[in-house]
């Protein structure tokens, strides 16, 4: 039988003392977490539903906001008795927004991974494919399970991601701006079974919160301050960069892909501009001085690499697939990082690499493709969804979080 859940940490980064709400991103001390009465069900006595004004304010609607009341309690062992009806409950809620805090999320080391990119970087498509890979091929490789922490995550993944892209093979629309209303995060519990040479198998659990951002949310500093508070709570960042936005890359494939966006169509949408705005937000959270590297691990991935691979040398690291051995191949990781770094400089985007090295203590470069082929007429290509190394950034972050071993097959 597997042992108890082990907590994962980021080497060199102090763990949080409280719980970060995955909805409003408030940092909550464990003793301040509220409980929600289980309410009436069948013959069970319980409190009647009432309008939760705090929750309605968060969602912008009273629909679905009539629930049994919340109450404060010491909550030892994750349960408390409702002071009104006496029924014990384990349902927990955020004291700020009154959204549910799933037990698995409260009891595991939550890591918020912010996904950032310009309008055409393919963030929603990447999320859909990454989660599908973790639930299937990559999950099997890692001896890991990925389970949604709440019904809202299950419904949103099926409705907004899996059904249109993976079942109907339709391209996903661009992400709606946060200004139009609160956007639901995807909250999952990732559990790995790890087996030491002489020790019993043990489970390690990580609560993973994924958020995608609209391109327009990143165009101005005001919008960033207003709508992207979650960046301040992020434990790691994945920046997605569309290489076709880089002039040097586009000249290599000008006959293969549509022309560039019209001038001025996406003001402030340059990859370096977006990364600089996010970096400023992170500095405010961490209180670091200018010039002091930020401790947040940052993965920067060139998307749509399938379009560019034919133009690369045959010996390029981006032509290779991962070994798939349930570990992080550090030799391969270094080779891909150096290859992408060289491409950025070749494609007149060397400033991006220089800036990352100046601002972050730990960053890594990646090349991936979520679809594996060029879309046709608003639909996935004839070969279907064939992701190429889409999981690489998250595997590197799992290594940084202490949940994935790194090896050097070459003995270095």
């Amino acid at each position: 039988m597997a042992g108890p859940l082990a907590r994962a940490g980021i080497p060199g980064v102090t763990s949080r003392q409280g719980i970060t709400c995955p909805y409003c991103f408030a940092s909550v001390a464990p003793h301040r977490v509220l409980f929600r009465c289980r309410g009436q069900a069948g013959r069970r006595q319980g409190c009647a539903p009432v309008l939760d004004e705090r929750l309605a304010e968060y969602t912008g609607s009273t629909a679905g906001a009539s629930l049994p009341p919340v109450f404060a309690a010491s909550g030892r062992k994750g349960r408390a008795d409702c002071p009104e009806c006496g029924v014990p409950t384990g349902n927990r809620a955020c004291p700020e927004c009154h959204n549910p805090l799933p037990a698995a999320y409260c009891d595991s080391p939550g890591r918020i991974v912010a996904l950032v990119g310009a309008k055409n970087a393919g963030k929603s498509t990447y999320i859909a494919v990454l989660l599908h890979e973790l639930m299937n091929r990559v999950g099997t490789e890692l001896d890991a399970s990925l389970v949604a922490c709440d019904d809202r995550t299950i419904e949103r993944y099926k409705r907004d991601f899996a059904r249109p892209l993976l079942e109907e093979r339709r391209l996903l629309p661009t992400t709606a701006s946060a200004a139009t209303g609160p956007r639901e995060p995807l909250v999952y519990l990732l559990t790995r079974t790890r087996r030491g040479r002489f020790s019993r198998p043990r489970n390690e659990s990580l609560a993973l919160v994924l958020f995608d951002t609209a391109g327009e949310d990143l165009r101005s500093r005001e919008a960033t301050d207003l709508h992207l508070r979650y960046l301040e709570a992020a434990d790691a960042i994945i920046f997605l960069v569309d290489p076709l936005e880089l002039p040097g890359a586009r000249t290599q494939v000008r006959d293969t892909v549509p022309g560039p966006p019209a001038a001025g169509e996406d003001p402030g949408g340059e990859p370096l501009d977006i990364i600089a705005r996010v970096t400023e937000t992170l500095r405010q959270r961490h209180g670091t001085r200018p010039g002091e590297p930020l401790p947040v691990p940052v993965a920067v991935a060139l998307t749509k690499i399938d379009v560019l691979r034919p133009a690369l040398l045959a010996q390029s690291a981006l032509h290779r697939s991962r070994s798939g051995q349930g570990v992080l191949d550090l030799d391969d990781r270094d080779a891909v990082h150096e290859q992408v770094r060289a491409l950025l400089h070749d494609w007149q985007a060397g400033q991006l690499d220089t800036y990352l090295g100046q601002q972050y203590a730990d960053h890594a470069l990646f090349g991936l493709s979520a679809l594996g082929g060029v879309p046709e007429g608003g639909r996935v290509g004839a070969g279907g969804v064939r992701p190429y190394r889409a999981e690489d950034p998250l595997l590197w972050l799992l290594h940084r979080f202490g949940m994935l071993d790194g090896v050097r097959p070459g003995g270095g």
Side-chain angles (χ1 to χ4, degrees), residues 9-307:
I10 302 178
V13 178
T14 302
S15 299
R16 285 199 189 91
Q17 299 301 312
I19 298 168
T20 299
C21 174
Y23 299 98
C24 72
F25 303 104
S27 181
V28 181
H31 69 272
R32 290 189 58 234
V33 172
L34 301 179
F35 287 81
R36 189 178 294 279
C37 177
R38 293 174 63 190
Q40 302 169 345
R43 297 182 179 180
R44 186 182 69 209
Q45 297 297 315
C47 295
V50 294
L51 177 63
D52 189 325
E53 295 183 357
R54 189 75 65 89
L55 182 60
E57 180 182 0
Y58 170 85
T59 61
S61 170
T62 58
S66 290
L67 297 168
V70 295
F71 60 92
S74 61
R76 293 182 179 179
K77 298 184 179 179
R79 298 185 65 80
D81 295 337
C82 175
E84 296 295 326
C85 66
V87 175
T89 178
N91 299 333
R92 287 174 268 190
C94 171
E96 301 297 330
C97 65
H98 287 194
N99 273 289
L101 292 177
Y105 181 79
C106 291
D107 298 336
S108 300
R111 295 299 180 195
I112 295 176
V113 177
L115 193 65
V116 179
K119 186 172 184 178
N120 298 313
K123 298 177 294 298
S124 296
T125 299
Y126 178 70
I127 285 178
V129 172
L130 175 64
L131 292 174
H132 183 265
E133 290 289 276
L134 288 173
M135 293 174 190
N136 295 279
R137 179 182 61 87
V138 177
T140 300
E141 173 196 332
L142 298 180
D143 203 1
S145 62
L146 186 76
V147 179
C149 283
D150 56 36
D151 292 339
R152 290 151 69 173
T153 291
I154 295 173
E155 175 57 28
R156 185 176 179 228
Y157 173 70
K158 289 181 178 178
R159 180 191 67 234
D160 297 343
F161 296 92
R163 189 176 299 131
L165 182 69
L166 302 173
E167 296 178 16
E168 301 171 2
R169 295 192 174 185
R170 293 185 288 110
L171 296 186
L172 300 180
T174 55
T175 304
S177 170
T180 63
R183 186 154 54 256
E184 292 290 300
L186 296 165
V187 188
Y188 287 92
L189 187 69
L190 179 69
T191 304
R192 286 200 69 207
T193 301
R194 304 182 71 180
R195 296 173 173 83
R197 180 175 297 179
F198 302 111
S199 61
R200 295 192 310 171
R202 72 171 193 252
N203 290 336
E204 293 182 343
S205 182
L206 178 77
L208 185 65
V209 181
L210 287 172
F211 239 69
D212 58 328
T213 64
E216 47 268 53
D217 289 336
L218 295 163
R219 287 178 179 172
S220 70
R221 299 180 192 278
E222 291 75 15
T224 298
D225 292 341
L226 181 62
H227 299 301
L228 302 186
R229 284 187 298 151
Y230 77 96
L231 285 173
E232 298 180 358
D235 295 284
I237 307 286
I238 297 177
F239 286 114
L240 296 184
V241 175
D242 182 353
L244 303 183
E245 295 177 353
L246 308 178
R250 176 166 287 283
T251 58
Q252 296 187 18
V253 292
R254 63 178 62 189
D255 298 327
T256 308
V257 297
E265 182 179 317
D266 192 12
E270 293 293 329
L272 184 57
D273 294 337
I274 291 173
I275 291 174
R277 292 190 190 103
V278 171
T279 301
E280 182 178 316
T281 299
L282 292 174
R283 285 204 177 280
Q284 293 174 1
R285 170 203 162 186
H286 289 275
T288 57
R289 299 185 303 273
E292 182 181 353
L294 284 160
V296 180
V298 169
V300 180
L302 298 182
T303 60
K304 308 173 185 176
I305 205 70
D306 53 287
V307 178

Side-chain angles (χ1 to χ4, degrees), residues 325-403:
Q325 300 298 315
V327 293
L328 183 67
D329 184 332
L330 298 176
D331 292 336
D332 173 75
R333 176 83 289 281
D334 291 345
V336 170
H337 177 90
E338 291 303 324
Q339 172 73 81
V340 174
R341 182 173 179 270
L343 289 174
L344 288 175
H345 285 269
D346 289 345
W347 294 338
Q348 305 165 38
Q351 275 197 68
L352 185 60
D353 172 57
T354 302
Y355 181 82
L356 290 166
Q358 293 170 340
Q359 303 298 322
Y360 294 93
D362 195 9
H363 79 279
L365 303 174
F366 301 83
L368 57 87
S369 173
L371 296 179
V374 179
E376 303 169 359
R379 298 184 63 83
V380 176
V385 176
R386 294 170 291 134
Y388 174 76
R389 303 193 74 142
E391 69 277 11
D392 280 16
L394 185 60
L395 294 184
W396 177 72
L397 290 176
L398 290 178
H399 176 61
R400 294 294 291 110
F401 294 160
M403 284 190 67

